Amino acid sequence: MFFNFIDELRAAGIQASFKEHLTLLEALDKDVIEQTPEAFYYLSRATFVKDEGLLDRFDQVFNRVFKGILSDYGQQPVEIPEDWLKQVAERFFSEEEMEQIKALGDWDEIMETLKKRIEEQEKRHSGGNKWIGTNGTSPFGHAGYNPEGVRIGGEGKHGRAVKVWEKREFKNLDNTVELGTRNIKVALRRLRRFAREGLAEELDLDATITGTAKQGWLDIHMRPERHNAVKVLLFLDVGGSMDPHIKLVEELFSAVSAEFKNLEFFYFHNCLYEGLWKDNRRRYSERTPTWDVLHKYGHDYKVIFVGDAAMSPYEISHPGGSVEHFNEESGATWLQRVTHIYPATVWLNPVPERQWEYSSSTKLIHQLMNGSMYPLTLDGLDDAMRELTRKKH
């Protein structure tokens, strides 16, 4: 089995020599770990993996070779969660049914019709095709299907709503998360420009030796500590369709916070508008005007947007398209201002790149970013950092 393990590692592109194989066997022979599958996994990973970028590949090989040794199959019956049963009970629309359902019209027609329906409707509806309700084909409500409409409450399912009305509670990202951030830190290190600034608190060993030799007594020299002088302005999309990506974005946020001393961050939702915030619990009471941010931080800042770019295209292209308030200027206008003021701007997208072409809003933001949208993967981060380090004119 161990020889097969070595062969599989080599086939996966992980350099596994017999020297490392013998090191692993010696460690097992001397009982340096507990006799558990989990301990063996970490020992073998530490022995063979020399590059963080190969960790996922190693996990796949380990699972294939030693399949099942870490499995724990429960013997007790498991209750089916109530929300699963509710989802099964909801109406399922086939592709043929979806094709037959026509969109109501453009943005203005949808909002005008919604206004009339609110005035006319007197009771709750479910499964219909006109009134505000649930499990139907009306453009208004939730848990049903319509090519374009307004989702009122509930959870998004098809991602086709052009506006969403519901109470939103967002949580701040945790920049103390460390698990999984090592690989991200490695990719971010391309965006480095070290400089010595501040108080002289670090011993300058070379200067101390030279001075002592010249003076004939101990001549201590101090110097400022080296810091990454790159300035980063981070805009983070939170809530809604970004909820499934919270763990990944927290890892990125933690890594960025550790790598860059000159870091400023702000939250937004879906698209950039006239207001930003630093604390999601006070996002309505303590907002910072976007113009103040653009005036305060110089054009030498590197700007990084993080978001899935998944929204109604109206949220980007139209005044009043925001899902939470009436924005007097379109999101596209604000994004264009940012790219004009900050030549070094990129957008990191946690959604796999192969899915971008199916989202009109993603294609629109990709265009507004002048093509500088990258997947939130190690390769994508590497490409994004290369883009930010290029000299801009």
Side-chain angles (χ1 to χ4, degrees):
M1 178 177 288
F2 285 135
F3 280 108
N4 183 44
F5 186 32
I6 298 294
D7 291 338
E8 290 288 341
L9 289 172
R10 290 172 177 171
I14 299 175
Q15 296 182 357
S17 66
F18 276 107
K19 179 180 178 180
E20 291 162 329
H21 183 204
L22 294 175
T23 299
L24 177 64
L25 295 178
E26 183 181 0
L28 293 173
D29 184 59
K30 294 184 177 181
D31 294 327
V32 299
I33 61 171
E34 297 178 3
Q35 301 300 314
T36 65
E38 183 179 11
F40 172 69
Y41 161 77
Y42 285 112
L43 174 64
S44 58
R45 192 180 76 172
T47 303
F48 292 109
V49 180
K50 305 299 190 297
D51 181 354
E52 292 93 337
L54 299 175
L55 286 174
D56 183 63
R57 201 177 304 178
F58 175 85
D59 287 349
Q60 295 180 44
V61 172
F62 190 90
N63 180 64
R64 184 163 59 248
V65 175
F66 303 104
K67 185 176 182 181
I69 67 171
L70 295 179
S71 299
D72 182 16
Y73 298 101
Q75 301 299 319
Q76 301 299 323
V78 179
E79 293 185 3
I80 301 176
E82 183 181 353
D83 57 334
W84 289 16
L85 296 176
K86 287 181 179 179
Q87 290 179 13
V88 172
E90 291 177 353
R91 183 172 178 183
F92 172 77
F93 293 91
S94 66
E95 293 185 5
E96 291 76 11
E97 289 177 312
M98 290 182 180
E99 287 293 330
Q100 294 174 1
I101 302 170
K102 304 299 182 183
L104 182 61
D106 61 17
W107 169 264
D108 295 326
E109 291 177 295
I110 291 174
M111 301 310 294
E112 181 64 27
T113 304
L114 174 60
K115 181 180 178 181
K116 293 180 180 178
R117 297 277 167 88
I118 292 175
E119 293 174 350
E120 297 172 2
Q121 185 166 334
E122 297 178 351
K123 61 181 180 179
R124 181 185 183 278
H125 286 267
S126 179
N129 59 8
K130 176 181 178 181
W131 300 108
I132 303 169
T134 59
N135 294 322
T137 61
S138 165
F140 315 112
H142 70 85
Y145 174 81
N146 194 279
E148 286 189 321
V150 178
R151 176 163 61 85
I152 302 176
E155 295 184 1
K157 298 185 179 301
H158 302 284
R160 308 304 294 269
V162 300
K163 193 173 183 65
V164 180
W165 281 347
E166 62 178 332
K167 181 179 179 182
R168 294 174 177 270
E169 296 291 345
F170 298 153
K171 177 184 175 183
N172 291 339
L173 296 179
D174 182 2
N175 67 350
T176 63
V177 174
E178 283 297 328
L179 182 63
T181 60
R182 288 194 304 160
N183 291 349
I184 299 175
K185 288 179 180 179
V186 171
L188 292 174
R189 285 171 187 166
R190 287 193 177 277
L191 194 61
R192 282 181 165 186
R193 187 179 68 248
F194 285 105
R196 296 192 181 276
E197 301 173 338
L199 298 175
E201 297 179 339
E202 179 182 271
L203 176 66
D204 189 338
L205 184 59
D206 291 339
T208 298
I209 294 174
T210 301
T212 301
K214 287 183 178 180
Q215 301 294 341
W217 63 78
L218 182 59
D219 185 16
I220 297 178
H221 288 256
M222 304 296 289
R223 63 185 178 183
E225 187 178 354
R226 292 173 76 239
H227 294 288
N228 190 351
V230 170
K231 301 174 183 178
V232 175
L233 191 54
L234 186 65
F235 294 118
L236 298 156
D237 181 8
V238 291
S241 57
M242 282 295 292
D243 286 346
H245 310 295
I246 284 179
K247 184 177 184 296
L248 178 60
V249 178
E250 281 188 333
E251 291 173 356
L252 172 69
F253 186 37
S254 180
V256 171
S257 299
E259 285 296 315
F260 302 108
K261 179 183 178 182
N262 301 308
L263 170 69
E264 296 292 340
F265 71 92
F266 293 91
Y267 295 114
F268 69 98
H269 181 57
N270 281 1
C271 194
L272 190 69
Y273 299 113
E274 69 279 2
L276 300 162
W277 57 94
K278 300 278 286 186
D279 188 338
N280 281 305
R281 291 167 296 186
R282 297 183 175 89
R283 59 190 301 262
Y284 294 109
S285 59
E286 297 181 6
R287 288 207 172 207
T288 302
T290 306
W291 267 127
D292 289 357
V293 175
L294 303 187
H295 287 148
K296 181 177 180 179
Y297 303 105
H299 68 276
D300 57 334
Y301 270 78
K302 311 288 187 181
V303 175
I304 302 175
F305 283 92
V306 182
D308 60 359
M311 68 198 86
S312 163
Y314 296 114
E315 295 183 55
I316 306 170
S317 60
H318 281 58
S322 169
V323 297
E324 298 184 316
H325 72 293
F326 186 88
N327 51 299
E328 295 184 356
E329 296 181 291
S330 68
T333 299
W334 284 105
L335 291 176
Q336 288 169 341
R337 285 172 180 156
V338 171
T339 57
H340 176 72
I341 295 172
Y342 303 100
T345 299
V346 298
W347 185 294
L348 298 177
N349 194 329
V351 175
E353 189 173 6
R354 63 180 180 277
Q355 298 179 18
W356 295 357
E357 62 179 290
Y358 301 110
S359 169
S360 299
S361 60
T362 303
K363 291 190 288 186
L364 184 53
I365 288 184
H366 188 277
Q367 180 181 355
L368 290 168
M369 288 290 106
N370 301 314
S372 295
M373 179 181 284
Y374 301 90
L376 191 44
T377 62
L378 292 180
D379 288 341
L381 273 172
D382 195 53
D383 291 340
M385 296 307 105
R386 290 177 186 273
E387 173 67 18
L388 291 175
T389 54
R390 292 194 183 101
K391 187 175 180 180
K392 302 285 184 175
H393 299 282

